[in-house]
Every structure is written in C-alpha cells, then in structure tokens.
Amino acid sequence: MQTAYDLGRSWYAGRLDRDWSPSTLAEAEAVFRQQGLEGDFWTFR
C-alpha cells in the first residue's frame, strides 16, 4: 500500500502547475525505479 501511495505522489506531483508538461518515457521509468518497481512490466519498450 505504501508503494502505491508513494508512486501516486511522485507520478502526479506538479500536475496542477500551470507550466506542467508530460514526463518523457525515461522520466516515467525513473519514477518507477525510484519506487523499486523494475522489470519488463515497468518499462515502455
């Protein structure tokens, strides 16, 4: 449960900011890795 919460916080951080822009695939994968989510399932390739 903690991992899901931490992932959500990281994933949605700044989404309401006026200058927000979508993450690149590499940035999104980095968010997953920061939460310990690794492997084929957590990549966009």
Side-chain angles (χ1 to χ4, degrees):
M1 196 59 148
Q2 186 66 47
T3 301
Y5 174 78
D6 293 339
L7 176 61
R9 269 184 77 120
S10 296
W11 189 260
Y12 291 104
R15 294 281 170 123
L16 298 178
D17 295 344
R18 184 174 291 271
D19 62 343
W20 177 85
S21 62
S23 301
T24 65
L25 296 180
E27 291 169 337
E29 288 178 352
V31 170
F32 296 150
R33 280 192 308 278
Q34 290 169 352
Q35 302 308 318
L37 304 171
E38 299 184 42
D40 290 340
F41 182 82
W42 299 103
T43 62
F44 293 107
R45 297 175 201 132

